[in-house]
Amino acid sequence: MLTYHLQVYWWFIISLLGAILVFLLFVQGGQSMLLSSRTAMQRTLMVNSLGRKWELSFTTLVVFGGAFFASFPLFYSTSFGGAYWLWMLILFSFTFQAVSYEFRARKGNIYGTRLFDTLLFINGCVGCVLLGVAVGMFFFGGEFSVVRGNILDASSPVISRWASTHGFEAICNWRNLLLGFTVLFLARTQAALFFMNNIADDPFLYRRNRRTLFINGSVFVVLFLIFLAVLLTATGYTTVVSSTGAVTFVPEKYKFAMNYIEMWWCLAALVVGVVAVLYGFLRSVFAAHWTKGIWFSGAGTILVVLSLFWVAGYNDTPYLVSLTDLGSSLTIVNSSSTRYTLEVMSWVSVLVPFVAAYIAYVWYKLGAKPLTPREMESTDHKY
Amino acid sequence: MEDLSSLIDWSRAQFAMTAIYHWLFVPLTLGLAVIVGVMETIYYRTRSQRWLAITKFWMTLFGINFAMGVATGIILEFEFGTNWSNYSWFVGDIFGAPLAIEGILAFFLESTFVVVMFFGWRKVSPGFHLASTWITGFGATLSAAWILIANAWMQNPTGVAFDPAQMRNVMTDFWAVVLNPVAIHKFIHAVANGWVLGAVFVMSVSCWMLMKKRDREFSVRSFKVATWVGSIGILVTMWSGDGSAVDVAKYQPMKLAAMEGIYDGQNRQGFTVIGLLDPEVKPCCTGNSDVDPFIFRIEVPAVLSYLCSRDINAFVPGINDLLSGHRADNNGTEYRVPSVADRIVSGKVAHDALRDFDRAQAVGDTEGMTTASQVINARYNDFGYGYLSSPCEAVPPVALTFYSFHIMIIFGGYLLLFFVMAWLMLYWRPRLLDVKWLQIAGIATVLVAWICSEAGWVTAEVGRQPWLIEGVLPCQAAISYVSSGSVALTFTLFALFFTLLLAAEVSIMVNVIRRKGATSDYARLSDK
């Protein structure tokens, strides 16, 4: 197998992890709704429904980072070390999540339940928006430069250098923020669908979730359409390798639209994904009682996000364009690990279907029956 | 970058603080996972409701602690990128793989089955639940294995080559990375230490319950399981600790010299059991030598030589020997270990050769690239020394390394005696379980176990300074391009946040332990 094939394969794995992560952000979306719950039992049901899934979304984020480190270390080095505050804020918000479920309702919790619910709310909002901002840089670039020779500069031996704003400039970029808020409203839409599927015997909560779904889903559709319009009309870059091996990045109008046209499977994934999300959303809103929307919307989300990652990294597209030094832009070729490491990692990735299978099995075993108020009253372990 | 040294110090401090917090929770998770697994296995075999109650009680404490381990762990992984970005590129080809494998193989295992542990009692069969409990523990242990493989590689880089064209290190042998002898000893040592800490924690709480005359059988049963697990743990910890010390002597002699406070080495080197270092004594690179570094010392003659080389007459080099260069013996063949000053010169030659390579590559000068590449390869073992401006920079903080190592040794010895005492209390004189001062000692021992565990990490990580990767990359060449003020701020925020969370965890745990409801139903439960 050629090194390039391995790089393509690993960008696919990264895309898949990213897509699954965005789907699992329904946990964050649900957290962003906690403070508006009407009764204590409603909040208990919502927290416990999400609480059996939070470890999975958290772990997917960690594995997403680890896989990026192993397969594209120059991205890990450049983005994490450069957009310092963006990633630190994301990390802070996820540490909030890690403890809040376990601590919130425990006796002896010296800070009270309300504080941990607020931390979950912060993680729900900030986590979604900032992860969207981080992914937005795949389309709209970042302010950095990479000079490998700096490693020998004793006074400043850093190869990747970012603008002095260290990620705040990315947060303030309206196009990144647009994607961030799109992700937030997608997560809230998915959360409402998840609650409708996972919580039973509470008609009031079901109706409320359907109303929430309608509002958040509508906002999401509008934001997504604007984002798609911005993306498809944006000027991107194409990597050009000369006969001498010199690499340049050439601006190209409607680059991402052209990528969708030139890679038909991306377009197919986008279209099928959008249809699936809309089907899950609309049928859940308008059917009298239909709870399967999360599966259609979830599968659709995965397809759409996959297609977005693919147009960001495939077809000779630099997936992290440098806005300050175009030559420093990162592609799946110039930022990857070596062929040997990618091969080793590829052997390990053979186990991914096995991992997915046991996760699905456990999810099925524990989630076969929805949560009910009666179960919450009788269980000896709840959040 | 005007504030390079300040940035290095803050980056070090942030990573150290996060690691210290993380290491408060991880060993307890590793130990409690095994203890809870044993308890549930007894329940599964006997179907005793009392054993079920015992299992659930300790499982609750496991869950509270697990959350904190997760919260601190995510920060550590991403700090490699946020604070050590040069490192992430320079060795990401090797170091990233264990982290990714840890995620794929271990984290998903833990995060999936821990949910069954807590919410699956009525939803899955007892056998499936028991398997889930063990799988969660196995996942935590597997996670430790991969992160320790990564850590051990930094202490003894194997299976790697330098590629001047990319100006980074590349992996050449995955199995050499995985089966690194340092990794094997580190893994066994750290996991067994977790068993000890988990066991001492359970025994400490059981002693408190005995003192408060809470349900005796509940406490004694818990104490007994913990004694078995902890006794195995302490023996394995000591055995693997010996292996780790041999590794340190072989691959990181400067760390060993600092651990033992040896400035001038000798044959038949003694082992310092306890000692007080003279803070005025400095390495020879400062012009200060031939002075006894100890104000007070109790030493066992020739033992360090034996422990390091299995030969009581072996020479153990001190800090000054390593700085000035010394003669060494490799299976009867004598050779000279170069001085640090020589290695600095050699490292700078390697740096110049890398610059030459870069220039030659830019103009397509193949011959120039080959010549430069040969120089780099010949001197790559000294590459990291090229970043040092004086030999003194190669010396780790001696006092901190020495004292943390000896705290670990002394407290570890105490823990061995503690487990011997526990056996006597259980199987020889059970009435000793009701002796108040022994109960108080049992309660306090949990602090000893935690300090011992943390001291071990401090020894390992401070003793390897200034290297992030031994001999290849010092901390100053591994940093990110951020201001020291930014890192100082995130350090403060993390320190504050983790401390507040630690207070919450302790308060919740104490509440769970003190709550009478936890064991009040126990006596009414059937043992059949």
Side-chain angles (χ1 to χ4, degrees):
Chain A
M1 197 180 266
L2 294 174
T3 306
Y4 181 69
H5 292 152
L6 289 164
Q7 289 160 340
V8 167
Y9 174 71
W10 270 93
W11 186 255
F12 172 78
I13 296 286
I14 294 294
S15 306
L16 187 61
L17 285 167
I20 293 171
L21 175 62
V22 174
F23 163 55
L24 292 171
L25 285 180
F26 72 76
V27 175
Q28 270 65 28
Q31 290 169 196
S32 73
M33 300 174 183
L34 286 180
L35 296 182
S36 57
S37 58
R38 296 284 170 86
T39 65
M41 177 51 80
Q42 276 182 13
R43 190 177 294 190
T44 302
L45 281 166
M46 289 162 76
V47 167
N48 281 275
S49 180
L50 298 170
R52 292 161 199 214
K53 300 286 179 282
W54 81 263
E55 282 264 11
L56 216 49
S57 72
F58 192 93
T59 302
T60 308
L61 173 66
V62 175
V63 176
F64 178 72
F68 237 133
F69 192 2
S71 51
F72 300 101
L74 190 55
F75 168 80
Y76 198 83
S77 161
T78 303
S79 178
F80 284 76
Y84 186 79
W85 281 106
L86 170 64
W87 288 107
M88 277 296 172
L89 290 172
I90 291 173
L91 287 179
F92 265 113
S93 86
F94 274 86
T95 55
F96 292 169
Q97 185 199 34
V99 290
S100 295
Y101 282 102
E102 193 59 47
F103 287 7
R104 66 179 290 278
R106 290 265 178 213
K107 287 181 180 164
N109 163 16
I110 47 180
Y111 308 123
T113 303
R114 181 86 186 171
L115 176 79
F116 285 105
D117 286 352
T118 307
L119 292 181
L120 286 175
F121 171 79
I122 291 170
N123 170 243
C125 298
V126 173
C128 288
V129 172
L130 294 188
L131 280 174
V133 168
V135 173
M137 286 195 286
F138 286 163
F139 306 105
F140 310 120
E143 296 184 19
F144 67 91
S145 65
V146 177
V147 181
R148 289 182 175 84
N150 284 349
I151 194 99
L152 296 170
D153 179 353
S155 61
S156 181
V158 187
I159 63 164
S160 300
R161 300 178 182 201
W162 203 276
S164 58
T165 40
H166 287 298
F168 282 121
E169 82 293 336
I171 298 172
C172 295
N173 180 317
W174 70 271
R175 293 190 296 185
N176 292 340
L177 274 179
L178 174 63
L179 181 58
F181 279 99
T182 306
V183 171
L184 173 63
F185 281 94
L186 170 66
R188 287 171 62 88
T189 303
Q190 306 255 56
L193 289 167
F194 176 70
F195 289 141
M196 289 164 74
N197 176 268
N198 200 242
I199 298 172
D201 294 349
D202 191 334
F204 178 79
L205 187 56
Y206 183 85
R207 282 197 301 277
R208 198 168 160 274
N209 276 319
R210 203 158 67 164
R211 197 165 56 247
T212 306
L213 171 66
F214 176 70
I215 296 166
N216 286 280
S218 303
V219 175
F220 161 69
V221 169
V222 171
L223 288 175
F224 180 71
L225 289 175
I226 297 171
F227 170 75
L228 207 57
V230 170
L231 181 70
L232 296 180
T233 55
T235 297
Y237 292 85
T238 298
T239 312
V240 177
V241 183
S242 71
S243 55
T244 59
V247 176
T248 51
F249 299 97
V250 180
E252 185 180 330
K253 277 194 168 180
Y254 311 116
K255 170 65 179 170
F256 298 106
M258 293 308 294
N259 278 356
Y260 271 118
I261 292 167
E262 289 167 11
M263 298 186 289
W264 64 268
W265 67 92
C266 294
L267 188 59
L270 178 72
V271 172
V272 173
V274 167
V275 169
V277 171
L278 288 176
Y279 177 75
F281 163 54
L282 293 172
R283 187 169 171 189
S284 300
V285 167
F286 293 110
H289 191 98
W290 191 63
T291 60
K292 307 290 184 200
I294 181 68
W295 299 116
F296 288 91
S297 173
T301 298
I302 289 174
L303 285 173
V304 170
V305 178
L306 272 175
S307 84
L308 288 172
F309 269 85
W310 290 341
V311 296
Y314 290 156
N315 205 28
D316 299 324
T317 313
Y319 67 84
L320 190 61
V321 171
S322 169
L323 302 175
T324 50
D325 172 28
L326 197 55
S328 296
S329 301
L330 304 188
T331 69
I332 62 171
V333 174
N334 71 12
S335 65
S336 88
S337 283
T338 56
R339 176 178 172 163
Y340 180 82
T341 297
L342 292 177
E343 272 178 355
V344 168
M345 294 297 301
S346 299
W347 282 109
V348 176
S349 74
V350 170
L351 292 170
V352 169
F354 171 72
V355 173
Y358 73 67
I359 291 171
Y361 181 70
V362 168
W363 192 322
Y364 167 75
K365 291 288 277 188
L366 290 185
K369 289 181 184 170
L371 280 187
T372 61
R374 181 182 294 179
E375 184 181 339
M376 285 297 95
E377 282 160 4
S378 63
T379 187
D380 54 356
H381 190 101
K382 65 181 174 190
Y383 292 130
Chain B
M1 297 176 83
E2 293 169 8
D3 53 355
L4 187 62
S5 63
S6 170
L7 173 62
I8 296 165
D9 289 344
W10 277 114
S11 299
R12 271 182 173 141
Q14 179 162 298
F15 202 88
M17 183 266 296
T18 319
I20 283 171
Y21 265 105
H22 189 54
W23 197 244
L24 283 176
F25 312 110
V26 171
L28 187 57
T29 295
L30 293 171
L32 280 182
V34 174
I35 290 167
V36 167
V38 171
M39 288 168 170
E40 191 176 343
T41 304
I42 298 171
Y43 157 68
Y44 181 77
R45 293 176 68 90
T46 61
R47 298 301 161 108
S48 157
Q49 294 303 304
R50 291 184 175 183
W51 275 108
L52 179 61
I54 292 173
T55 304
K56 284 189 172 180
F57 175 80
W58 294 109
M59 204 174 268
T60 302
L61 295 176
F62 170 88
I64 295 163
N65 180 68
F66 186 81
M68 281 295 285
V70 172
T72 47
I74 190 174
I75 307 294
L76 275 178
E77 176 184 328
F78 285 97
E79 272 179 357
F80 285 115
T82 54
N83 294 90
W84 306 101
S85 72
N86 249 20
Y87 170 86
S88 299
W89 166 247
F90 197 61
V91 297
D93 193 60
I94 309 110
F95 193 83
L99 290 195
I101 296 171
E102 181 191 19
I104 293 169
L105 297 187
F107 286 161
F108 277 121
L109 214 55
E110 271 182 281
S111 61
T112 304
F113 287 96
V114 78
V115 179
V116 183
M117 262 176 92
F118 292 112
F119 300 106
W121 285 107
R122 294 181 195 172
K123 299 200 172 190
V124 298
S125 68
F128 189 93
H129 193 280
L130 175 65
S132 300
T133 302
W134 279 112
I135 290 172
T136 304
F138 174 72
T141 308
L142 195 60
S143 164
W146 285 106
I147 197 65
L148 289 168
I149 285 169
N151 180 281
W153 182 82
M154 296 158 85
Q155 321 261 352
N156 176 35
T158 53
V160 62
F162 183 70
D163 178 4
Q166 304 181 70
M167 291 201 181
R168 66 166 170 170
N169 291 276
V170 296
M171 184 154 60
T172 55
D173 185 350
F174 176 69
W175 294 110
V177 175
V178 174
L179 301 175
N180 185 341
V182 178
I184 293 169
H185 286 127
K186 252 183 187 298
F187 167 67
I188 298 171
H189 195 61
V191 171
N193 159 67
W195 292 15
V196 172
L197 181 55
V200 173
F201 176 79
V202 171
M203 293 160 84
S204 169
V205 175
S206 300
C207 282
W208 181 84
M209 288 177 172
L210 285 167
M211 196 169 77
K212 292 289 175 186
K213 310 235 181 286
R214 297 272 286 271
D215 198 291
R216 182 182 170 78
E217 188 190 85
F218 182 102
S219 310
V220 173
R221 282 182 171 181
S222 301
F223 192 91
K224 195 176 282 186
V225 170
T227 300
W228 273 92
V229 172
S231 300
I232 295 168
I234 192 77
L235 294 174
V236 176
T237 305
M238 291 185 145
W239 169 76
S240 55
D242 173 61
S244 282
V246 173
D247 292 337
V248 171
K250 194 170 176 182
Y251 304 115
Q252 297 172 294
M254 185 66 88
K255 184 200 275 188
L256 181 79
M259 283 159 65
E260 276 292 288
I262 303 168
Y263 282 83
D264 296 301
Q266 60 182 48
N267 297 97
R268 299 178 64 83
Q269 180 69 54
F271 177 79
T272 302
V273 178
I274 192 166
L276 190 62
L277 285 170
D278 182 347
E280 298 301 318
V281 175
K282 304 288 182 203
C284 66
C285 56
T286 60
N288 181 350
S289 61
D290 295 330
V291 183
D292 183 2
F294 287 95
I295 295 170
F296 159 76
R297 182 189 196 198
I298 297 174
E299 179 194 32
V300 187
V303 166
L304 190 64
S305 288
Y306 180 78
L307 287 175
C308 294
S309 313
R310 301 298 186 255
D311 174 6
I312 58 167
N313 295 312
F315 176 76
V316 178
I319 292 167
N320 293 339
D321 303 298
L322 292 162
L323 287 171
S324 328
H326 64 97
R327 301 204 73 76
D329 181 274
N330 183 17
N331 293 327
T333 312
E334 270 213 350
Y335 65 100
R336 179 159 181 80
V337 175
S339 69
V340 171
D342 290 343
R343 298 188 76 174
I344 290 174
V345 171
S346 175
K348 291 192 187 299
V349 171
H351 286 202
D352 288 338
L354 185 55
R355 287 189 192 94
D356 292 342
F357 183 96
D358 198 32
R359 281 191 287 269
Q361 187 175 235
V363 295
D365 174 8
T366 318
E367 197 179 325
M369 287 162 67
T370 308
T371 309
S373 185
Q374 285 167 348
V375 175
I376 296 165
N377 287 336
R379 296 170 181 271
Y380 193 65
N381 284 342
D382 301 325
F383 186 87
Y385 286 87
Y387 289 104
L388 307 184
S389 48
S390 92
C392 286
E393 289 179 29
V395 181
V398 177
L400 186 52
T401 311
F402 173 84
Y403 288 119
S404 57
F405 176 62
H406 285 83
I407 286 170
M408 179 188 76
I409 294 288
I410 292 165
F411 283 19
Y414 165 80
L415 289 173
L416 179 67
L417 293 176
F418 175 75
F419 283 106
V420 170
M421 192 65 198
W423 279 94
L424 295 176
M425 290 161 84
L426 281 172
Y427 297 105
W428 184 58
R429 290 280 188 273
R431 67 171 182 277
L432 288 175
L433 284 166
D434 300 310
V435 175
K436 192 162 185 181
W437 72 266
L438 283 174
Q439 292 168 340
I440 292 170
I443 295 166
T445 298
V446 74
L447 290 176
V448 174
W450 250 307
I451 293 168
C452 181
S453 179
E454 291 284 1
W457 264 116
V458 172
T459 305
E461 299 304 303
V462 174
R464 68 152 141 155
Q465 298 300 321
W467 305 110
L468 212 58
I469 306 163
E470 186 70 26
V472 174
L473 192 71
C475 289
Q476 67 215 53
I479 46 167
S480 296
Y481 191 74
V482 285
S483 70
S484 62
S486 293
V487 185
L489 182 55
T490 50
F491 169 89
T492 309
L493 291 173
F494 278 128
L496 196 64
F497 184 59
F498 288 157
T499 306
L500 290 171
L501 286 183
L502 180 65
E505 165 165 335
V506 172
S507 167
I508 291 168
M509 277 197 167
V510 167
N511 192 276
V512 169
I513 293 163
R514 289 168 66 102
R515 206 170 64 232
K516 287 195 172 174
T519 61
S520 62
D521 291 337
Y522 180 80
R524 291 202 297 272
L525 294 171
S526 163
D527 208 7
K528 292 179 182 173

